[in-house]
Amino acid sequence: TEADVLRTMNNDPSFRSLYGEVQRRLGRTLNTEELKILLTFVRYLGLPADVICVLVSFCQERSMRRSGRNPSLRSIEKEAYEWAERGIDSMEAAGAFIQAKNVYHSRLGKLMRLLQIRGRNLTAAEEKYAAQWLDWGVSEELITMAYEKTCLNTGGLSWAYMHKILARWNEMGLRTAADVRNGDRKGGKTATRNLDSDEQAAIARLLQEG
């Protein structure tokens, strides 16, 4: 309640300090509803003040990267619940989580450059595909091969088409360009027959148009 927030502000110096630091980082004054959200981070989720500050900075950097704006407390609240569920309640755990996220975004950025995507962020659907490829540990050379194969067969980047190529290679245990080339040679016509109906239809359309 508002009264509870006011009592905490008056009687808890550590919360007042946290409140001031969050305001400083976001560059604005928090209203009463936002203070209630901040209080839940401490009382309900049990997050320490230093972890909350790291959380706010993490959300701020992500929001600025995506939209150029500071995050709302509601969006920070959503992330706070995820951190609590993951057990990220110490500076060590927060540091490890952020480091893993930084590695992911670095790999994602390289993947986007390989796909010649510039000047925009991935959509949620596109990032879901990309995250799966990174989770599989697909190398840059295989991303490049699948991209070239996709463009050749469909005339451009088709995420669903490219995903099926990479999924098939992953299922076959093909991890390098040499693996793929050897697999194609060994498979002969069988490799072509493994294309699914969507891929075959795309190739057929291109042949008709040509």
Side-chain angles (χ1 to χ4, degrees):
T1 65
E2 184 172 345
D4 191 30
V5 172
L6 291 174
R7 278 195 302 271
T8 303
M9 287 289 294
N10 290 330
N11 301 324
D12 188 343
S14 64
F15 184 76
R16 283 203 306 273
S17 177
L18 173 63
Y19 154 74
E21 181 61 22
V22 171
Q23 285 193 143
R24 185 188 69 77
R25 295 187 184 216
L26 295 180
R28 60 183 176 80
T29 301
L30 301 184
N31 60 38
T32 303
E33 287 303 311
E34 291 174 324
L35 283 174
K36 290 178 185 177
I37 293 173
L38 188 60
L39 191 57
T40 65
F41 296 174
V42 177
R43 291 193 172 177
Y44 181 70
L45 298 180
L47 297 177
D50 54 358
V51 172
I52 293 171
C53 289
V54 172
L55 166 71
V56 171
S57 293
F58 171 78
C59 292
Q60 184 179 37
E61 290 174 9
R62 182 180 61 186
S63 183
M64 293 298 290
R65 184 172 60 247
R66 291 177 176 176
S67 66
R69 296 191 300 270
N70 273 324
S72 68
L73 256 291
R74 284 296 180 190
S75 67
I76 296 174
E77 180 184 32
K78 181 179 179 182
E79 187 70 22
Y81 273 84
E82 292 186 6
W83 281 34
E85 289 175 3
R86 290 170 176 263
I88 304 173
D89 56 4
S90 69
M91 291 296 285
E92 292 76 13
F97 173 78
I98 291 172
Q99 183 178 14
K101 282 290 185 180
N102 287 339
V103 170
Y104 167 77
H105 284 295
S106 175
R107 295 174 65 202
L108 187 64
K110 287 181 181 179
L111 188 151
M112 290 174 67
R113 288 192 291 274
L114 291 173
L115 300 182
Q116 302 183 46
I117 298 173
R118 302 179 182 87
R120 71 172 181 85
N121 295 316
L122 296 182
T123 66
E126 290 171 340
E127 187 166 347
K128 186 176 180 180
Y129 281 124
Q132 179 63 78
W133 303 343
L134 295 179
D135 186 55
W136 285 338
V138 178
S139 66
E140 292 183 14
E141 64 176 349
L142 286 194
I143 291 289
T144 300
M145 285 187 72
Y147 175 57
E148 291 174 349
K149 190 179 185 74
T150 298
C151 290
L152 180 64
N153 290 342
T154 69
L157 173 57
S158 166
W159 288 86
Y161 187 103
M162 186 169 166
H163 182 71
K164 287 169 183 172
I165 293 173
L166 290 170
R168 186 168 67 248
W169 289 350
N170 184 64
E171 289 169 3
M172 295 170 67
L174 307 179
R175 298 288 180 260
T176 68
D179 289 342
V180 172
R181 286 190 290 268
N182 291 334
D184 284 345
R185 280 198 293 270
K186 290 176 183 177
K189 292 183 179 180
T190 302
T192 301
R193 287 199 299 272
N194 283 337
L195 292 173
D196 63 27
S197 59
D198 290 340
E199 294 169 342
Q200 294 281 19
I203 294 171
R205 283 197 303 272
L206 286 171
L207 290 174
Q208 289 174 358
E209 292 169 1

